[in-house]
Amino acid sequence: MNTHVLIYDGFVNFEIMLATYLMKTQGEIITVGLNSEMVYSYEGFIVKPHKDIKEIDCDEVEILLIPGGDIGAIEGNRQLTSLIKRLDINGKYIGAICSGVELVKQAGVLEGKRFTGNGINNDETYTVSQNIITAKANGYVDFGIELGKMLNIYSDEDDYNETIRFFKYFENN
């Protein structure tokens, strides 16, 4: 199972780091840019996308992760909006965190679904609704762990609970 991750200038790397770490156990991480140019994460990492969004075949995507960050320059991008809509129509998984939720919302695929994100007035740090998981920035641990649950990456309930204990509560046994 390959995980596609949207990257863009100003994306916040730490918000998706645990999710990608966990998903890497099941396949490859494929970074997707709006073009083939290198981008700078908020933290200062320089990242060259594996693929340009124009190269993405919707049938090859099992999950698209959309990190938060400075989305001002990519809001309303037609190719991104189209990709998000196609993925949703085809029942593919979409994970969005922080301001990345706004990009999914703008694509119109959150209508009629429960979701959460920054600026949304509820107590939930993450929400799962059908094929979409959304989270506030501070929900990145739950986001990663629950994404794995959605995609059935844990070998059993003990594996799932061990992951929670280790990454959420810092317990080693």
Side-chain angles (χ1 to χ4, degrees):
M1 167 182 346
N2 293 329
T3 301
H4 289 71
V5 179
L6 178 69
I7 60 172
Y8 54 92
D9 276 329
F11 79 97
V12 178
N13 203 21
F14 88 85
E15 293 174 343
I16 54 158
M17 201 50 55
L18 180 58
T20 57
Y21 175 82
L22 294 171
M23 295 311 297
K24 179 74 173 162
T25 66
Q26 304 300 306
E28 294 301 312
I29 304 299
I30 301 164
T31 55
V32 178
L34 296 182
N35 55 48
S36 60
E37 301 294 317
M38 286 190 263
V39 299
Y40 292 83
S41 74
Y42 175 80
E43 298 87 353
F45 290 98
I46 301 171
V47 185
K48 178 154 178 50
H50 292 105
K51 291 191 173 190
D52 182 315
I53 198 167
K54 295 179 206 99
E55 300 173 300
I56 300 301
D57 178 352
C58 188
D59 292 334
E60 295 175 2
V61 177
E62 293 168 84
I63 178 159
L64 175 66
L65 292 182
I66 305 173
D70 182 4
I71 62 170
I74 66 169
E75 285 183 291
N77 179 284
R78 290 181 192 165
Q79 292 168 318
L80 178 58
T81 299
S82 175
L83 177 62
I84 293 168
K85 285 180 179 181
R86 285 193 327 259
L87 293 174
D88 185 57
I89 288 168
N90 289 305
K92 305 292 182 140
Y93 293 99
I94 300 169
I97 188 166
C98 191
S99 60
V101 175
E102 190 60 33
L103 296 170
V104 178
K105 185 178 176 186
Q106 289 172 6
V109 301
L110 293 178
E111 292 177 30
K113 295 179 181 169
R114 288 187 38 213
F115 64 95
T116 194
N118 293 354
I120 296 171
N121 220 358
N122 62 29
D123 293 333
E124 298 169 320
T125 57
Y126 75 95
T127 303
V128 174
S129 185
Q130 298 171 11
N131 60 315
I132 298 176
I133 182 170
T134 56
K136 294 179 179 180
N138 66 344
Y140 65 94
V141 172
D142 290 326
F143 177 74
I145 292 170
E146 290 304 309
L147 176 69
K149 186 175 182 182
M150 285 176 70
L151 291 153
N152 202 27
I153 71 166
Y154 305 109
S155 57
D156 55 27
E157 192 70 20
D158 288 338
D159 184 27
Y160 172 70
N161 289 327
E162 179 183 339
T163 303
I164 291 171
R165 284 191 307 273
F166 186 80
F167 288 106
K168 190 167 180 172
Y169 301 113
F170 310 108
E171 297 174 5
N172 288 324
N173 48 6

